[in-house]
Amino acid sequence: MSVLRTLALGTALTVAGFGAAHAQAPASPIFDAVKARGTLVCGVNTGLAGFAQPDSQGVWRGLDVDACRAVAIAMFNDATKVRYVPLTAQQRFTAVQSGEVDMMPRNTTWTFQRDVQLGLDFVGTNFYDGQGFMVKKSLGVNSAKELNGATICVQPGTTTELNLTDYFRANNMRFTAVVIERQEEVNAAFFAGRCDSLTTDVSGLASTRASQGAQANDYVILPEVISKEPLAITVRQGDSKWSDLVRWTFFAMLEAEELGLTAANIDSMANSENPAIRRFLGATGDLGQMLGVDNRWAYNIIKTVGNFGESFERNITPLGLPRGVNNLWTKGGLMYSPPLR
Amino acid sequence: MAISNTERSRRSAQGGGFSLQNEAVRAIFWQVLVLGIVALGIWYLVSNTIANLEARRIATGFGFLGREAGLPIGEAMIAYSPTDSYQRALIVGLLNTLKVAVVGIVLATILGTVIGIARLSKNWLLAKIASAYVEVIRNTPLLLQLFLWYTLLQGLPGPRQAMKLGEGVFLSNRGIKVPWPVWDDLHVWVVGALAAGIVGAWVYTRNANATQARTGKRPPVLLPNLGMMVALPIVVWLALGAPLVWDVPALRGFNFVGGATLTPEFAALTVGLVVYTAAFIAEIVRAGILAVPKGQWEAAQAVGLHNNRILNLVILPQALRVIIPPMTSQYLNVTKNSSLAVAIGYPDIVSVANTTLNQTGQAIEGIAIIMAAYLTVSLSISLFMNWYNKRIALVER
Ligand SMILES: N[C@@H](CCC(=O)N[C@@H](CS)C(=O)NCC(=O)O)C(=O)O
């Protein structure tokens, strides 16, 4: 499965003309390809409630999905012009490198090594997270520090598995790992009792726990958060027109929240005298044109998808996760858009 | 020099030599041309890949092998901790692949042979059960079967409710725990005695064969061989003062501590591979036996041999020649199919290499390592089986 993807990457790198890498290439290969194709190909989770998961009608929903929809609106003014490609943690980077997906908001932690060595660009953090542990309540464990000797379920190809070994080493504890690639399988192993604890980003734990329905209360997430996991949107390196678009689309959703613009009220703001709002709506200035898209791109996004806070409330709040550090900087959080001007 | 060269080519041209009309020259010409094109193609692809990797700023080279891996690996046959290098992690993965392949091949051969023979049995029920087995197993995807076995094993009770199968033997959803002897330096002598016994038995058997060929009488083989291979190590061990301490598993905290573990991942993968491959091997064995003409049975019966002896001395040696070549490809299949391990969390070479290439971003190197590993293992199996095939063919009189 992921071997196939890797082979595809190898082939892409092998046969792509020198041109792609050199001067005569189009200045923005991804941007142009997306435009010509008429759909955006978005790499997402294989199914993580709140972030990316198809609903009963097969429509993808979630915070990450909204990031894709927003970019589709910027490009085509149509939130449905997206094809979602579910990726496991193992498959995701090759999918971006080989151009299989145009962008990837997929619970992916922004790390030095990934940024510098993988040929990726991280354009913005859409969820500040950290790694935690979940256990069955009946186990009687109250702290991660009590997990010495435990068997722990974890997904490979993640920062999770690395933090896990670091944490146990730092605390002089031992553990046995059960490493399973697919999320459904690793969760199934945990719920079947193969492992004493499941570890991943706290948001992932909350989502997994919430999907247990009535049994959710049998499980607890331990208080320790053992790492920083800024989950960020990635694109392939080397097309700054494309990374600019994806980055500022995300920032536009933050900026809208800060300006108090929502899907419901944005039409009534048309006559606002606030210069920042006028720029945002495309009434003055040419921000959209600078990005190579419709000047009303930001308006269109908010009108359909809503601002970041609305997306968060729609997708993450039902998991029982507080806004916390993911609030705007003006409300004590870390979410901060540079000025749109 | 130049003159003589021209001279030569002129002369050969006269004789129709250096001309594409000349068959020998033509053959060489085309071969050189094709070789040149292939070499050029490879050069183009390689330099292109390097240029693209550089342009996309994707790291290259095998330097990462020495870096600290930091990967958790659930089970390892050699000492491994996350502070070890990627190289060691990959070796752990390769050994795990070999372990499941060797155990899988041996067990699948035994089970497959039994089922293959059962399918030919005169006992109607037995034959039908065997053929139902073959049809059901052959026609469902292996991955599905692996999930089934793994799910079944996860249905076992947790460690605190583990089933006690015997003194220090526990079965739970963490696997089977068994007591394991603690290594003592004195044990070297016992292992040495065992090795000497095996060599001795081999030499003795050869001599016995020679004696039989010369005199027609076979000296007793079984007892002396057992004596050398079993009694000798035991005597040595007793002479050393019978040094033996058992490491007995005990429930401590979350899990059993001590002893040896057969993990659910290894068990599910092995059982899955064995059950699946045995269905194919059964058919090969059946076909092999059926391939021996009936007249061979009848002739052997006419000489007055028992059925067992006929199977052993007449039928199997001939059937084996039909069986070995397709068997080789089943053995290769076991090895390659073991790469489904990653789905159920067994840390084989593919699982470890995939994680490595993911953590380091060096996909091409990672795939190269996987390919090299499988190529080496597969070629070794093929070579061994070809050698064995030849050996069997020589038995022909
Ligand atoms: N943030 C970590 C972990 C990412 C990850 O794979 N998380 C899991 C659990 S939150 C996930 O998204 N699984 C979904 C899937 O495998 O499709 C990383 O970037 O390495």
Side-chain angles (χ1 to χ4, degrees):
Chain A
M1 297 150 274
S2 53
V3 173
L4 274 187
R5 278 212 159 73
T6 315
L7 285 178
L9 166 70
T11 320
L13 290 171
T14 318
V15 297
F18 278 116
H22 294 289
Q24 72 266 44
S28 39
I30 308 178
F31 188 100
D32 295 348
V34 174
K35 189 109 231 172
R37 197 189 307 126
T39 39
L40 171 75
V41 183
C42 220
V44 292
N45 272 304
T46 60
L48 188 65
F51 288 89
Q53 194 178 43
D55 67 11
S56 54
Q57 261 79 52
V59 180
W60 284 85
R61 298 197 185 282
L63 188 80
D64 289 343
V65 169
D66 280 349
C68 304
R69 295 170 70 219
V71 172
I73 292 172
M75 291 297 284
F76 313 114
N77 196 12
D78 185 346
T80 64
K81 291 263 157 60
V82 190
R83 190 161 63 78
Y84 295 95
V85 178
L87 297 168
T88 69
Q90 291 269 39
Q91 300 163 339
R92 59 187 155 168
F93 298 122
T94 37
V96 181
Q97 291 166 339
S98 66
E100 183 184 349
V101 298
D102 304 315
M103 62 182 280
M104 185 181 71
R106 192 217 162 274
N107 302 64
T108 296
T109 306
W110 187 345
T111 70
F112 178 97
Q113 201 259 349
R114 288 173 177 177
D115 200 350
V116 173
Q117 282 217 297
L118 297 197
L120 307 173
D121 272 338
F122 287 82
V123 298
T125 302
N126 69 343
F127 196 94
Y128 289 94
D129 209 342
Q131 183 175 337
F133 294 90
M134 179 154 75
V135 295
K136 202 168 179 154
K137 223 178 237 166
S138 61
L139 203 59
V141 169
N142 298 310
S143 153
K145 295 263 163 63
E146 297 167 23
L147 287 175
N148 193 7
T151 303
I152 299 191
C153 278
V154 63
Q155 277 183 288
T158 55
T159 47
T160 317
E161 60 178 346
L162 305 179
N163 298 328
L164 173 66
T165 57
D166 281 358
Y167 181 77
F168 274 75
R169 203 192 311 167
N171 288 289
N172 227 333
M173 304 193 298
R174 293 160 46 80
F175 72 100
T176 309
V178 175
V179 185
I180 302 181
E181 180 179 7
R182 295 196 66 86
Q183 159 156 291
E184 306 137 68
E185 313 299 342
V186 76
N187 289 352
F190 168 67
F191 289 118
R194 172 66 184 100
C195 302
D196 300 302
S197 176
L198 174 70
T199 183
T200 185
D201 304 335
V202 171
S203 63
L205 293 177
S207 169
T208 304
R209 181 172 176 272
S211 38
Q212 286 303 296
Q215 273 81 56
N217 284 329
D218 296 347
Y219 297 90
V220 282
I221 298 173
L222 300 178
E224 286 83 1
V225 174
I226 67 166
S227 69
K228 292 190 286 189
E229 308 289 328
L231 308 182
I233 303 168
T234 58
V235 297
R236 198 169 90 203
Q237 203 166 47
D239 183 346
S240 44
K241 183 173 176 188
W242 180 246
S243 50
D244 284 347
L245 178 80
V246 177
R247 175 181 299 115
W248 286 97
T249 295
F250 168 62
F251 282 148
M253 289 178 69
L254 287 183
E255 181 79 353
E257 186 179 7
E258 198 177 329
L259 293 173
L261 302 173
T262 65
N265 75 8
I266 194 158
D267 278 328
S268 67
M269 295 290 190
N271 301 319
S272 165
E273 291 303 316
N274 181 334
I277 292 182
R278 293 185 63 75
R279 273 197 303 277
F280 191 92
L281 298 178
T284 55
D286 45 11
L287 297 182
Q289 275 161 26
M290 288 185 204
L291 285 174
V293 298
D294 187 338
N295 214 36
R296 281 162 63 80
W297 62 292
Y299 163 84
N300 292 335
I301 291 169
I302 304 308
K303 181 79 189 136
T304 319
V305 183
N307 65 37
F308 183 77
E310 290 177 278
S311 176
F312 194 100
E313 229 157 77
R314 193 165 54 228
N315 298 305
I316 306 296
T317 311
L319 303 178
L321 284 173
R323 189 78 193 263
V325 286
N326 288 298
N327 219 324
L328 290 181
W329 66 289
T330 47
K331 295 180 183 153
L334 294 171
M335 288 296 174
Y336 185 111
S337 165
L340 264 73
R341 69 180 313 145
Chain B
M1 248 331 242
I3 295 170
S4 75
N5 265 345
T6 340
E7 179 70 10
R8 203 180 305 142
S9 60
R10 192 178 53 81
R11 240 184 270 146
S12 55
Q14 275 167 350
F18 192 74
S19 130
L20 287 183
Q21 247 106 53
N22 182 319
E23 203 175 318
V25 173
R26 200 166 58 216
I28 292 178
F29 172 79
W30 285 118
Q31 287 185 29
V32 169
L33 192 72
V34 168
L35 203 72
I37 292 175
V38 169
L40 208 71
I42 291 178
W43 174 81
Y44 172 77
L45 292 178
V46 167
S47 54
N48 213 6
T49 306
I50 293 173
N52 276 316
L53 284 169
E54 247 163 42
R56 289 173 194 182
R57 304 207 40 203
I58 299 176
T60 49
F62 284 93
F64 69 89
L65 283 176
R67 286 212 297 269
E68 179 181 305
L71 303 178
I73 297 184
E75 54 183 298
M77 284 161 64
I78 51 173
Y80 170 83
S81 90
T83 41
D84 287 325
S85 64
Y86 279 116
Q87 186 174 331
R88 195 169 177 94
L90 288 163
I91 292 175
V92 167
L94 182 60
L95 288 176
N96 280 341
T97 292
L98 290 176
K99 177 165 90 172
V100 79
V102 169
V103 175
I105 284 174
V106 171
L107 295 182
T109 308
I110 296 173
L111 183 62
T113 308
V114 169
I115 293 170
I117 293 176
R119 225 187 144 172
L120 292 173
S121 162
K122 294 203 185 74
N123 180 329
W124 183 86
L125 188 64
L126 191 62
K128 281 292 168 260
I129 292 178
S131 63
Y133 173 94
V134 170
E135 291 312 326
V136 170
I137 298 295
R138 262 201 323 191
N139 293 307
T140 41
L142 174 57
L143 187 60
L144 207 71
Q145 296 186 24
L146 290 181
F147 281 138
L148 176 77
W149 293 116
Y150 193 42
T151 310
L152 283 180
L153 290 175
Q154 284 178 354
L156 292 168
R160 290 179 193 177
Q161 293 82 35
M163 302 182 221
K164 190 167 175 183
L165 302 182
E167 205 39 58
V169 182
F170 298 97
L171 179 67
S172 73
N173 60 11
R174 306 297 162 88
I176 299 178
K177 290 273 174 188
V178 293
W180 200 250
V182 182
W183 179 257
D184 187 313
D185 284 342
L186 288 174
H187 289 163
V188 175
W189 297 102
V190 181
V191 174
L194 180 67
I198 291 174
V199 173
W202 181 70
V203 172
Y204 182 79
T205 310
R206 275 181 69 115
N207 283 339
N209 286 346
T211 312
Q212 185 183 16
R214 209 173 48 242
T215 65
K217 276 228 174 68
R218 188 167 180 77
V221 174
L222 192 66
L223 271 184
N225 278 354
L226 276 183
M228 278 186 277
M229 293 192 294
V230 179
L232 183 67
I234 293 181
V235 169
V236 169
W237 175 67
L238 288 174
L240 290 168
L244 184 61
V245 179
W246 290 96
D247 184 12
V248 182
L251 190 61
R252 208 170 308 142
F254 294 99
N255 207 341
F256 288 95
V257 182
T261 315
L262 186 71
T263 65
E265 289 76 24
F266 176 75
L269 184 62
T270 310
V271 172
L273 287 173
V274 167
V275 166
Y276 183 74
T277 316
F280 293 87
I281 291 183
E283 285 300 273
I284 293 172
V285 169
R286 184 172 74 107
I289 293 178
L290 287 181
V292 180
K294 224 178 161 162
Q296 297 281 327
W297 282 96
E298 291 162 356
Q301 269 158 358
V303 183
L305 287 174
H306 293 296
N307 264 353
N308 286 352
R309 303 286 282 170
I310 298 177
L311 201 64
N312 271 336
L313 297 175
V314 181
I315 306 301
L316 274 185
Q318 297 185 72
L320 270 182
R321 276 184 240 140
V322 183
I323 290 175
I324 296 301
M327 203 72 135
T328 308
S329 71
Q330 288 309 320
Y331 290 174
L332 295 177
N333 279 349
V334 172
T335 313
K336 288 180 284 185
N337 285 341
S338 73
S339 65
L340 291 172
V342 65
I344 55 167
Y346 178 72
D348 76 325
I349 179 72
V350 175
S351 158
V352 177
N354 258 342
T355 308
T356 302
L357 72 84
N358 193 278
Q359 295 292 2
T360 60
Q362 299 193 240
I364 293 179
E365 290 83 348
I367 290 292
I369 289 173
I370 296 178
M371 290 192 352
Y374 276 103
L375 208 61
T376 312
V377 175
S378 296
L379 286 180
S380 311
I381 293 178
S382 292
L383 282 177
F384 174 78
M385 292 302 280
N386 285 346
W387 167 81
Y388 186 60
N389 200 17
K390 280 224 185 71
R391 222 189 88 118
I392 289 190
L394 283 180
V395 176
E396 202 167 49
R397 291 212 179 107

